[in-house]
Amino acid sequence: MENPNVVLGVTGGIACYKALELVRLLVQDSCAVRVVMTREATEFVRPLSFQTLSGAPVGTDLFSLTQESEIGHINLADGADLLVIAPATANVVAKLAAGMADDLLTTVALATQAPLLVVPSMNVHMLAHPMVQANLVKLRSAGYHVMEADAGYLACGYEGKGRLPEPPAIVEEIRRLLRPGDLTGEHIVVTAGPSREPLDPVRFISNRSSGKMGYALARAAVRRGARVTLVSGPTALAAPEGVKTVPVVTAEEMRGAVLAEFDAATAVFMAAAVADYRPRSASGNKMKRSEDNLRLEFIPNPDIAAELGARKRHQVVVGFAAETESLLENARKKLHRKNLDLLVANDVTQEGSGFDVDTNAVTLLDRDGTVTPLPTMSKDTVADRICDWFLRYKKHPHRRGA
Ligand code: PMT
């Protein structure tokens, strides 16, 4: 998008001063920036500083006749390609989660049709508070993009999570969100989460997958214009906006749901951690304790990825490999054995990588032998990198597997 209109909401936290640098970087990046400050934010930084850097009047007051005629909350809302709130205090997060509109910024936030990026920054204990966390979950499930706060030394004297991410990282996230709908016309099936294989009515075999990687893929693909079907094992995550979510429990159910969509799909991204084995039979009643050892017999589950690899015609099939040793060697074997187009090799022993964290460290393995290690990054960014790879791959069909 050329010269996108970014409305930057600044709320009253000490990290306000970093928002000045954010404006400078955005203007340098050819964005037209309109700043809206809450009254509390003006206690930290003068509006004149933002006005000078953005080259545009700064909105501070919903009820000022001059501002309403010169700036206008509906104009701001309608003209925005993206609304970013950085720093976002616990107070504004709560107001957004409650759908309140009691000042210029929250009114613009409710009125705009543009995507909304919230960048929380606050004291470590405030951020960890269950109310704040519940509000952030609410925002995410309403389709807001929420950036993770950084950890480190906080202005309040504590060490921990709550710092505003550095402005270049926020600009990177803004660029990501402003990317055009380059996946329009694609139908992407994403698998996510664990499978659960029942032992009896109350017990099951499963694994630590939270679904975060798969849900990030679904969000990225739908934001970039694809029609997305998310086949999800049991997770605690809210279904992403605009995505057809098909809940499943067992590997067999996941196979059925994926195959039902496969013919019409153009790609399948398989981030789910599917159980390789399931109990031969599940007891109809809760198994009773006894003094004897318990022996269970397991039988192999269908390998959905391998089945798709064997069936694929026009579809591009991307698999993941969660590995704890010999990462590349094991991943390469899976790429070829399952006849996949790309293997995302995931070292799940590394800190900040793998199960149930918001970041991931992966290496992309192409069929032509290309190995692309990516640094630790948010699962949202990993998801975008996989979408970028898919688009490049489609342009070079000669690189495709058998
Ligand atoms: O969900 P999160 O908490 O965000 O964690 C993300 C993740 C670690 C689960 C994810 O990044 C990941 O690595 N997913 C693949 C996990 C896995 O089961 O790997 P695997 O090596 O066992 O399987 C290889 C591929 O075959 C995978 O694409 C898997 O979906 C698929 N598979 C596996 C077994 C099976 N019976 N059928 C399959 O389709």
Side-chain angles (χ1 to χ4, degrees):
M1 197 181 289
E2 272 180 37
N3 309 116
N5 292 313
V6 176
V7 174
L8 174 65
V10 182
T11 67
I14 182 65
C16 271
Y17 75 94
K18 283 192 184 173
L20 290 170
E21 174 66 356
L22 180 58
V23 173
R24 193 187 69 75
L25 290 174
L26 287 171
V27 169
Q28 193 178 310
D29 208 27
S30 307
C31 295
V33 183
R34 302 298 302 266
V35 177
V36 175
M37 300 177 77
T38 59
R39 195 177 52 75
E40 294 76 15
T42 63
E43 300 285 340
F44 287 91
V45 181
R46 307 273 302 154
L48 183 60
S49 306
F50 282 107
Q51 185 159 313
T52 309
L53 286 168
S54 66
V58 172
T60 53
D61 190 353
L62 182 61
F63 300 106
S64 150
L65 288 179
T66 330
Q67 286 200 11
E68 189 51 25
S69 61
E70 280 178 7
I71 302 174
H73 68 281
I74 296 299
N75 284 346
L76 279 171
D78 288 350
D81 294 310
L82 182 71
L83 172 59
V84 183
I85 304 183
T89 57
N91 185 49
V92 81
V93 166
K95 286 206 270 183
L96 293 172
M100 284 173 65
D102 66 347
D103 61 8
L104 181 58
L105 178 58
T106 46
T107 307
V108 172
L110 273 193
T112 192
Q113 297 283 299
L116 212 149
L117 172 65
V118 177
V119 194
S121 166
M122 62 196 77
N123 164 272
V124 59
H125 301 308
M126 287 174 87
L127 183 59
H129 195 287
M131 292 299 181
V132 175
Q133 286 301 315
N135 286 334
L136 291 172
V137 169
K138 253 184 159 181
L139 295 190
R140 285 196 170 100
S141 60
Y144 291 21
H145 305 277
V146 178
M147 213 171 155
E148 285 296 306
D150 273 358
Y153 177 77
L154 302 174
C156 53
Y158 283 97
E159 285 270 333
K161 200 166 173 184
R163 277 167 64 101
L164 190 76
E166 292 308 315
I170 303 176
V171 171
E172 172 71 25
E173 187 67 5
I174 290 172
R175 279 210 203 101
R176 196 176 71 75
L177 294 174
L178 286 170
R179 224 171 268 164
D182 48 8
L183 290 177
T184 304
E186 303 294 343
H187 175 200
I188 300 183
V189 177
V190 179
T191 70
S195 71
R196 275 185 191 170
E197 310 298 334
L199 288 163
D200 69 14
V202 299
R203 300 184 180 94
F204 53 82
I205 299 283
S206 192
N207 59 68
R208 291 173 46 222
S209 172
S210 63
K212 287 182 177 182
M213 189 63 246
Y215 279 57
L217 278 163
R219 282 196 304 272
V222 80
R223 182 173 43 74
R224 292 171 70 162
R227 180 154 77 88
V228 178
T229 304
L230 174 63
V231 178
S232 174
T235 74
L237 305 175
E241 282 288 306
V243 166
K244 176 181 163 192
T245 303
V246 182
V248 295
V249 177
T250 62
E252 279 287 5
E253 286 176 19
M254 185 171 281
R255 173 179 177 270
V258 171
L259 288 181
E261 300 280 339
F262 189 56
D263 285 346
T266 54
V268 187
F269 297 165
M270 311 192 73
V274 189
D276 284 317
Y277 294 90
R278 66 172 185 274
R280 176 177 284 283
S281 60
S283 163
N285 290 308
K286 187 182 168 205
M287 290 187 290
K288 294 281 177 282
R289 183 192 160 80
S290 82
E291 292 312 310
D292 297 333
N293 289 345
L294 175 66
R295 282 204 176 73
L296 293 169
E297 194 184 347
F298 288 86
I299 56 171
N301 259 331
D303 187 331
I304 310 164
E307 192 170 343
L308 300 189
R311 282 190 184 200
K312 71 186 163 80
R313 298 186 310 279
H314 58 279
Q315 298 92 339
V316 172
V317 182
V318 174
F320 277 67
E323 300 294 343
T324 56
E325 57 178 337
S326 311
L327 177 72
L328 296 186
E329 194 188 324
N330 287 335
R332 206 170 279 124
K333 280 185 195 153
K334 282 181 189 167
L335 172 72
H336 293 289
R337 182 163 50 78
K338 301 191 187 210
N339 193 33
L340 304 173
D341 295 276
L342 178 77
L343 204 287
V344 182
N346 202 167
D347 178 354
V348 294
T349 62
Q350 216 176 300
E351 200 179 327
S353 173
F355 294 101
D356 202 16
V357 284
D358 293 311
T359 50
N360 215 353
V362 301
T363 299
L364 307 186
L365 300 186
D366 271 80
R367 292 190 68 85
D368 66 1
T370 310
V371 176
T372 314
L374 301 179
T376 302
M377 50 179 65
S378 71
K379 283 184 175 166
D380 286 328
T381 308
V382 171
D384 265 313
R385 292 294 181 89
I386 292 167
C387 293
D388 293 344
W389 172 89
F390 168 64
L391 285 168
R392 281 197 307 277
Y393 186 70
K394 282 197 68 160
K395 288 193 191 133
H396 301 284
H398 60 277
R399 288 168 61 186
R400 299 183 63 158

